[in-house]
């Protein structure tokens, strides 16, 4: 019996040594980060800023791969099925890791099938319209939307995407119905708004700011509690006539479940180092991104926050009866 126990201990110690050695040598090759949206959108933009700086921290590049469709759920599903070795990770957001679970019949569990790594910066939504829309402020825009609701085309990044949820909240609040036009991400929706192919959209300020400053589209309000330092000329929804209308799109990094804790810790440390870099912070602030506090950058904090967001938003989304498109 003693011999068998000794053999088991030796085997367990040997296996743990192999796992520990693998974790210590991680990463030994490039990492793939799956983004569920088209290139050029807000989540993709943040993913590329963050992963670029994570490279020197990890000693290996992170290659961003855009896997679009079903509001990011297809790309997220690929990560759920990936090997738990730290070489395939998900860079997602409020939509992919919260909202989609209330809309799509997912073949993975948003809480059980992923290992949280770190919370990333967040951004409010911005009410936007093509230049031909006559409204001069948010109150006039709402009046115009109500008067033309049968004709207004409202672009969204897909069913259940942040821009879609924001629009649904608005239409329920003002008692109107919009004609939604779904895209495979925020970037193509923005392109059609600039081209005048759609009338209105909501988008994260990081994605909209270049077009606003170029005078190619109109901005009416941001869905934050305070004006943004990067665009102080845009009023808050509170100031513009929609008191209490707050929507912030947060993002995060997840690995497949059962990814070794040492590897999760290695990835997390790279994110923390990245978000502390003055150059990165300045770059993110320049596009209106809010960086989470240091105590909110842990894997445990992301897991708890995601769970709380699911408990908050799922009843609201299910009550709205949003269906996949």
């Amino acid at each position: 019996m003693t011999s068998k126990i000794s053999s088991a201990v030796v085997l367990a110690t040997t296996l743990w040594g192999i796992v520990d050695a693998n974790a210590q040598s991680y990463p030994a090759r490039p990492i793939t980060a799956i983004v569920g949206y088209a290139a050029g959108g807000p989540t993709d933009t943040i993913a590329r800023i963050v992963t670029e700086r994570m490279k020197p921290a990890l000693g290996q590049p992170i290659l961003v791969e855009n896997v679009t469709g079903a509001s990011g759920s297809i790309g997220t599903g690929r990560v759920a099925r990936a090997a738990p070795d730290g070489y395939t990770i998900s860079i997602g957001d409020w939509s992919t890791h919260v909202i989609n679970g209330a809309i799509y019949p997912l073949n993975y569990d948003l809480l059980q099938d992923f290992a949280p790594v770190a919370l990333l910066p967040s951004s409010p939504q911005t009410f936007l319209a093509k230049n031909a829309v006559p409204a001069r402020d948010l109150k006039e825009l709402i009046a115009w939307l109500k008067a033309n609701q049968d004709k207004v085309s409202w672009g969204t990044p897909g069913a259940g995407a942040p821009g879609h949820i924001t629009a649904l909240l608005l239409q329920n609040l003002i008692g109107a119905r919009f004609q939604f036009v779904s895209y495979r991400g925020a970037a193509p929706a923005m392109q059609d708004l600039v081209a005048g192919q759609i009338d209105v959209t909501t988008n994260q300020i990081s994605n909209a700011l270049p077009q606003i400053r170029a005078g190619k589209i109109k901005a009416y309000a941001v869905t934050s509690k305070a004006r943004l330092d990067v665009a102080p000329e845009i009023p808050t929804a509170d100031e513009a006539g929609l008191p209490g209308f707050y929507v912030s799109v947060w993002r995060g990094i997840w690995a497949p479940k059962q990814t070794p804790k040492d590897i999760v810790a290695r990835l997390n440390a790279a994110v923390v180092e990245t978000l502390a870099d003055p150059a990165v912070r300045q770059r993110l602030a320049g596009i209106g991104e809010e960086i989470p506090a240091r105590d909110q950058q842990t894997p445990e904090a992301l897991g708890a926050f995601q769970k709380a967001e699911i408990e908050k938003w799922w009843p609201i989304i299910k009550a709205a009866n949003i269906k996949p498109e």
Side-chain angles (χ1 to χ4, degrees), residues 47 66 107 156 194 199 203:
N66 300 94
N107 58 7
T156 79
V194 171
D199 299 315
N203 208 319

Side-chain angles (χ1 to χ4, degrees), residues 8 14 50-51 91 103 119 140 148 167 173 202 207 230 238 262-263 268 273 276 283 285:
T14 301
V50 170
T51 56
I91 298 184
I103 298 174
L119 186 64
E140 289 189 5
N148 296 276
L173 184 64
T202 55
N207 201 43
V230 71
D238 276 337
D262 296 60
I263 289 178
N268 177 265
E273 180 178 322
R283 190 174 176 188

Side-chain angles (χ1 to χ4, degrees), residues 165-204:
I165 299 301
T166 305
L168 286 171
L169 291 175
L170 178 66
Q171 74 170 11
N172 290 340
L173 184 64
I174 68 175
R177 288 294 177 268
F178 314 134
Q179 307 302 311
F180 290 118
V181 181
S182 293
Y183 293 84
R184 296 176 73 88
M190 180 61 66
Q191 291 170 1
D192 271 8
L193 184 71
V194 171
Q197 300 301 312
I198 55 174
D199 299 315
V200 186
T201 191
T202 55
N203 208 319
Q204 294 166 58

Side-chain angles (χ1 to χ4, degrees), residues 7-249:
S7 298
V9 170
V10 170
L11 178 59
T13 302
T14 301
L15 291 174
W16 175 252
I18 294 173
V19 171
D20 189 50
N22 288 338
Q24 287 180 6
S25 64
Y26 172 85
R29 54 186 170 85
I31 299 164
T32 297
I34 302 293
V35 173
Y37 305 110
T43 298
D44 176 75
T45 298
I46 301 309
R48 293 178 189 277
I49 291 174
V50 170
T51 56
E52 178 185 334
R53 177 57 180 81
M54 288 174 69
K55 177 181 177 180
L58 292 169
Q60 290 287 344
I62 300 180
L63 309 176
V64 175
E65 181 178 350
N66 300 94
V67 181
T68 64
S71 292
S73 63
I74 294 175
T76 305
R78 180 179 294 187
V79 178
R81 297 185 295 271
D85 55 10
Y87 289 101
T88 304
I89 59 176
S90 169
I91 298 184
D93 58 21
W94 174 58
S95 181
T96 57
H97 286 73
V98 174
I99 302 301
N100 283 351
I103 298 174
Y104 292 92
L106 304 178
N107 58 7
Y108 51 87
D109 187 289
L110 288 171
L111 292 176
Q112 300 301 320
D113 290 339
F114 297 91
V117 174
L119 186 64
L120 296 179
S122 61
S123 175
Q125 293 278 290
T126 312
F127 289 105
L128 306 165
K130 65 182 183 182
N131 281 335
V133 171
R136 293 168 297 179
D137 56 33
L138 186 60
K139 287 183 179 179
E140 289 189 5
L141 177 65
I142 290 172
W144 182 82
L145 289 169
K146 294 172 73 173
N148 296 276
Q149 59 182 299
D150 293 335
K151 297 177 289 184
V152 170
S153 56
W154 191 301
T156 79
H164 186 210
I165 299 301
T166 305
L168 286 171
L169 291 175
L170 178 66
Q171 74 170 11
N172 290 340
L173 184 64
I174 68 175
R177 288 294 177 268
F178 314 134
Q179 307 302 311
F180 290 118
V181 181
S182 293
Y183 293 84
R184 296 176 73 88
M190 180 61 66
Q191 291 170 1
D192 271 8
L193 184 71
V194 171
Q197 300 301 312
I198 55 174
D199 299 315
V200 186
T201 191
T202 55
N203 208 319
Q204 294 166 58
I205 190 66
S206 57
N207 201 43
L209 197 55
Q211 308 299 343
I212 295 169
R213 286 180 169 164
K216 296 181 179 180
I217 56 175
K218 293 181 177 181
Y220 293 94
V222 291
T223 60
S224 55
K225 295 182 180 181
R227 293 196 183 202
L228 303 176
D229 291 341
V230 71
E233 72 280 7
I234 304 176
T236 66
D238 276 337
E239 296 170 324
L242 278 179
F245 198 100
Y246 310 128
V247 180
S248 182
V249 182

